[in-house]
Amino acid sequence: MPTAVINYLLGPDLRLMLEEGDADGLKAFCEELHPAALAELLAELEDETVWRVLSHCALPRQVEIFEFLSLHRQVELVEAIGKERLSKLVGEMSSDDRADLLSRLDPVRVESLLPLMAQADRADVRRLLAYPEESAGSIMTTEYASLTEQATVAEALTALRKQAPDAETLYYIYVLGPDRRLDGFVSLRDLVLARPERTVGELMRRDVISARVDDDQEKVAAQVMRYDLLALPVVDEANRLVGIVTHDDAMDVVRQEAEEDVLRMGGVEPLADSYAETGVLELAWKRGKWLMFLSLVALATAQVLQRFEEVSEAHVWLVLFLPLVLAAGGNAGSQSAALIIRAIALGEQGTGPWRLAARELLVGGTLGFLLALIGYLSGYLWFELGSNESLMVAGTVFVVVVIGTVCGSLLPLASKKMGADPALMSTPLITAVMDVTGVILYYGVGIWLLTTLAGTAAR
Amino acid sequence: MPTAVINYLLGPDLRLMLEEGDADGLKAFCEELHPAALAELLAELEDETVWRVLSHCALPRQVEIFEFLSLHRQVELVEAIGKERLSKLVGEMSSDDRADLLSRLDPVRVESLLPLMAQADRADVRRLLAYPEESAGSIMTTEYASLTEQATVAEALTALRKQAPDAETLYYIYVLGPDRRLDGFVSLRDLVLARPERTVGELMRRDVISARVDDDQEKVAAQVMRYDLLALPVVDEANRLVGIVTHDDAMDVVRQEAEEDVLRMGGVEPLADSYAETGVLELAWKRGKWLMFLSLVALATAQVLQRFEEVSEAHVWLVLFLPLVLAAGGNAGSQSAALIIRAIALGEQGTGPWRLAARELLVGGTLGFLLALIGYLSGYLWFELGSNESLMVAGTVFVVVVIGTVCGSLLPLASKKMGADPALMSTPLITAVMDVTGVILYYGVGIWLLTTLAGTAAR
């Protein structure tokens, strides 16, 4: 059933049960509904009410539901409860979700919380919080199932029964040598299908694909996707297994990185929370930064235009095609940027910068010719300019489209080379650069050529 | 190991083995390397060479490697081989990958191929090809594992051993009633952990989340993501199980939809293949369509400007701030569009159009004020305009930003309402609309106010 329908149908039921204090009803509600669906119902209730509903079920279930809430909402809820309750909740959470939540809380509060947690959990939290943001270490969980090579299938299945409550997935089981060295993995499928007396060593695959703990999360997600994995093991510099990244966390990374690309293409600093959860002032700031920068670029363009004051006065018609010149360069550039940004995000091979620039030059030339033709025909036929003037407009459009295309494709590559997000060199920035370039070409070079040619013709 | 490194290290080995005709080496190569890694190595070789390499391993392995190639490359390769060989390959492919490939081939060839396939495969292909593009039916596989409620755990595990070779995943097993009605599911994890004498009926979860065969693929992927599923069952109108969508296929949809959003935001028609696989002419066309449309809008702006010829001549300084006015409206609009497009793609709740417009109005007002201030100060101090003129520029910027923000947020919603992709109302289109609006406000309303006020003041 779609969630919107669930909320529409169940929201009123929930409210009624709360009003009537129907403990049995609430208990059944918490235990029977899918935790993700319940989390969506709860997201819109007040903090106190959420805790009242959750108190009707056992702690593991409470945590399961809680983990499906957005991080933003989790932080809000956690701020409303005391240290003891929080430590119990956090002790039960899965290792990666717990690290995410704690990284968002006031460090002073986290420090006061740690002594209340079990020794092993405490060490786990400290280790996970130490990994840099957006690294494999920051998205992995330390709760994985493992076996040794010597175990038989029957022994392995018994061992897995013990590990089951704590493991995030039982479907890939990692085979460890001395000192937790990652030697390979078996799938639960292979174990179940094998005869009980065979050993893990006979079944295991040794060509295990792994990530390093300091790898970028985008690279990790790309690997999970490329090899269609359920989980990817994460190792340290000595090839010791330190955690796993599961397919659902990899999917979240893909989604998050895509969201960042779309926002950066639109000239918005990526948001930490969802759009609905972000306050008006924060939104205004994340947009305002870029808008102010772009306004300054527009003012630089104005400055350039001012230098061509005499040209403006002598050729008032120039203003007519200014929007076309500005739009052509900016739009062609954004198109190239969008294509390259996605190609980089998808980890496409075989797009070296020179081959790429050559290709974009070809596309840019074709597009430039097309738009120049439109410029020439409209100038000559529609706006009744002279033939030379129309040719000047067409020439400017051609050059601007070609420059825009090449810049738009190379800027994201340059950005990546410098270690920044390729999408940082986004549409608005390219548009801005092309605005200044366009004005100089149009009012400067174009008019100079026009008058020089006219002078030559008159002579 | 990163794939780039694999290719760098193994590419020369492969070439050497091919030159020396080292059959044993090639066989080991095909069987030991991960099929995804091998597929990436093969992607860059010639069709004939790829078939030569593949012929060194058994058909199931050949197919496994083949399925990791891009669809574009699969089509190219398949065009180089005869009907008999193709029918064997296709017969061994997984049901969803096979349907994807056949949907890209010449229908005449597909028809000639069907008689060579097994009856069951033939029916499967016909059914899958009949589902509309981008529907749950078009991305699902019909190869799932199923059980009945009455089976004991021991019987279930025996049954799964039989189904294993044909099932895409054994981790979720669907429990079917009479007439393949979907009653629930058990996970392999639960089966393995349960005592052998218990029945599937006791273990199964009945609150199974499913999709309808005609649901949009984006919705299906969102459900897989929301509930952290390994697979989502797909049912027909009578709740009969017809297929499953696995997590990796859902991830591909998320990636594909994100790519479409980024490209549309950049004003490019989404590509069918990867950037590197798309020809120059196709690229030029997918970009040219939008660029030509946007050029016409720029020419409409020119037409509007022409109507204000007298104003242009009387107030030549106006041109200086034209880039600012155009950029402010367009950029503010793109920002809103990017935010809303992502919010829609992520299925965010609680963003009704009115609440959203109110919120954007607030953000737009704040941003408008900020940019208007920059406009006023720079006009007055930097470009030495009069106070009234600076105020007019500031006022225009304010209004343009507010209109841009509200339009940018409502256009994607309107687009969605009309059943189109929200990203269709993308950055370039909003920029174009705001160009015309900006010029009218600046040259029309602004100057009219300025002269009226000056007239009143003079009186």
Side-chain angles (χ1 to χ4, degrees), chain B residues 131-426:
Chain B
Y131 293 118
E133 253 187 274
E134 311 220 328
S135 69
S138 76
I139 55 167
M140 75 188 186
T141 173
T142 51
E143 295 158 330
Y144 49 81
S146 64
L147 292 168
T148 59
E149 232 176 285
Q150 294 75 33
T152 63
V153 169
E155 288 164 357
L157 290 174
T158 311
L160 288 183
R161 285 197 185 92
K162 271 196 215 116
Q163 297 185 30
D166 292 325
E168 188 109 326
T169 179
L170 279 192
Y171 298 130
Y172 286 175
I173 305 124
Y174 299 95
V175 183
L176 302 183
D179 211 16
R180 308 200 72 71
R181 197 189 58 223
L182 178 64
D183 284 340
F185 77 107
V186 274
S187 68
L188 183 60
R189 175 184 181 133
D190 292 342
L191 280 182
V192 168
L193 298 180
R195 272 173 294 122
E197 66 275 15
R198 297 195 68 186
T199 67
V200 168
E202 288 164 27
L203 294 175
M204 72 189 256
R205 291 178 235 172
R206 288 170 198 277
D207 61 333
V208 55
I209 290 151
S210 63
R212 275 281 298 274
V213 74
D214 48 1
D215 277 350
D216 190 85
Q217 62 171 9
E218 198 164 5
K219 199 179 137 193
V220 172
Q223 276 185 298
V224 171
M225 202 154 54
R226 175 178 298 142
Y227 296 105
D228 289 346
L229 301 174
L230 286 176
L232 181 74
V234 180
V235 296
D236 66 9
E237 63 291 338
N239 199 34
R240 282 181 300 232
L241 185 62
V242 291
I244 60 170
V245 174
T246 52
H247 69 100
D248 49 318
D249 292 329
M251 204 159 169
D252 285 343
V253 171
V254 169
R255 194 184 63 167
Q256 183 193 327
E257 298 280 348
E259 185 174 0
E260 284 182 16
D261 280 355
V262 172
L263 292 184
R264 289 224 164 99
M265 288 282 307
V268 185
E269 190 84 348
L271 310 177
D273 298 309
S274 73
Y275 171 73
E277 287 171 343
T278 307
V280 167
L281 271 184
E282 195 187 332
L283 267 182
W285 175 236
K286 295 222 154 161
R287 297 172 59 160
K289 273 194 276 195
W290 269 103
L291 283 186
M292 282 192 292
F293 169 79
L294 293 170
S295 298
L296 292 181
V297 177
L299 290 173
T301 314
Q303 176 90 48
V304 175
L305 276 168
Q306 199 177 32
R307 298 201 148 227
F308 294 115
E309 207 178 342
E310 284 171 31
V311 177
S312 289
E313 274 168 19
H315 309 270
V316 181
W317 64 270
L318 277 175
V319 73
L320 296 183
F321 292 91
L322 187 58
L324 179 65
V325 168
L326 299 183
N331 288 328
S334 327
Q335 290 185 328
S336 298
L339 285 164
I340 302 305
I341 286 166
R342 279 321 287 172
I344 293 175
L346 299 177
E348 270 192 37
Q349 310 261 317
T351 36
W354 296 116
R355 211 191 123 202
L356 191 126
R359 208 149 164 259
E360 285 294 307
L361 205 60
L362 217 59
V363 176
T366 314
L367 292 174
F369 181 78
L370 200 69
L371 294 202
L373 197 67
I374 293 180
Y376 181 81
L377 291 178
S378 63
Y380 194 67
L381 300 175
W382 185 359
F383 292 91
E384 295 171 350
L385 297 184
S387 168
N388 278 349
E389 282 79 7
S390 303
L391 212 58
M392 187 281 252
V393 169
T396 309
V397 168
F398 177 81
V399 175
V400 155
V401 169
V402 172
I403 295 181
T405 306
V406 174
C407 281
S409 58
L410 292 181
L411 279 179
L413 285 181
S415 177
K416 199 195 162 199
K417 197 100 191 168
M418 294 184 301
D421 186 324
L424 212 58
M425 302 295 185
S426 58

Side-chain angles (χ1 to χ4, degrees), chain A residues 112-402:
Chain A
S112 78
L113 203 64
L114 286 175
L116 300 178
M117 292 167 64
Q119 163 90 58
D121 285 345
R122 202 153 63 214
D124 185 63
V125 164
R126 285 207 195 277
R127 201 166 45 240
L128 286 185
L129 286 184
Y131 293 119
E133 253 187 273
E134 311 218 330
S135 69
S138 76
I139 55 166
M140 73 187 187
T141 174
T142 53
E143 295 158 331
Y144 50 82
S146 65
L147 291 169
T148 58
E149 231 176 284
Q150 292 76 31
T152 63
V153 168
E155 287 163 357
L157 289 173
T158 312
L160 288 183
R161 285 198 184 90
K162 271 196 213 117
Q163 297 185 30
D166 291 324
E168 188 110 322
T169 179
L170 280 192
Y171 297 130
Y172 284 174
I173 306 124
Y174 299 95
V175 184
L176 303 183
D179 210 16
R180 308 200 72 72
R181 197 189 58 224
L182 178 64
D183 285 340
F185 79 108
V186 274
S187 68
L188 184 60
R189 177 182 181 138
D190 292 342
L191 281 182
V192 168
L193 298 180
R195 274 173 294 121
E197 65 276 13
R198 296 196 67 187
T199 67
V200 169
E202 288 164 27
L203 295 174
M204 73 189 254
R205 290 178 236 173
R206 290 173 197 274
D207 61 332
V208 55
I209 289 151
S210 63
R212 275 282 298 273
V213 74
D214 49 0
D215 277 351
D216 190 85
Q217 62 172 7
E218 199 164 4
K219 199 179 137 192
V220 172
Q223 276 186 298
V224 171
M225 202 154 56
R226 174 177 300 144
Y227 296 104
D228 288 348
L229 301 173
L230 287 175
L232 181 73
V234 180
V235 296
D236 65 11
E237 65 290 339
N239 199 33
R240 282 181 300 233
L241 185 62
V242 291
I244 60 170
V245 174
T246 52
H247 69 98
D248 48 320
D249 293 328
M251 202 159 171
D252 285 343
V253 171
V254 170
R255 192 183 64 169
Q256 185 193 326
E257 299 279 349
E259 184 176 359
E260 285 182 15
D261 281 356
V262 172
L263 292 184
R264 288 225 165 97
M265 289 281 307
V268 185
E269 190 83 346
L271 309 178
D273 299 308
S274 74
Y275 171 73
E277 285 171 344
T278 307
V280 167
L281 271 184
E282 196 188 331
L283 267 182
W285 175 236
K286 296 221 152 159
R287 299 171 57 161
K289 273 194 276 194
W290 269 103
L291 282 186
M292 283 190 294
F293 169 78
L294 293 170
S295 299
L296 293 182
V297 177
L299 291 173
T301 313
Q303 178 90 48
V304 174
L305 276 169
Q306 201 179 30
R307 297 201 149 227
F308 294 113
E309 207 179 342
E310 282 171 31
V311 177
S312 290
E313 273 168 21
H315 309 271
V316 181
W317 64 269
L318 277 175
V319 74
L320 297 183
F321 292 91
L322 187 57
L324 179 64
V325 168
L326 299 183
N331 288 328
S334 327
Q335 290 184 328
S336 299
L339 286 163
I340 302 305
I341 287 167
R342 281 320 287 170
I344 293 176
L346 299 178
E348 270 191 38
Q349 311 259 319
T351 36
W354 297 115
R355 212 191 123 201
L356 191 127
R359 206 147 167 260
E360 284 295 306
L361 205 62
L362 216 60
V363 176
T366 315
L367 292 173
F369 180 78
L370 201 69
L371 295 203
L373 196 67
I374 294 181
Y376 180 83
L377 290 178
S378 62
Y380 194 68
L381 301 175
W382 186 359
F383 291 93
E384 294 171 352
L385 298 184
S387 168
N388 279 348
E389 283 78 6
S390 304
L391 212 56
M392 188 279 252
V393 169
T396 310
V397 167
F398 178 81
V399 175
V400 154
V401 168
V402 171

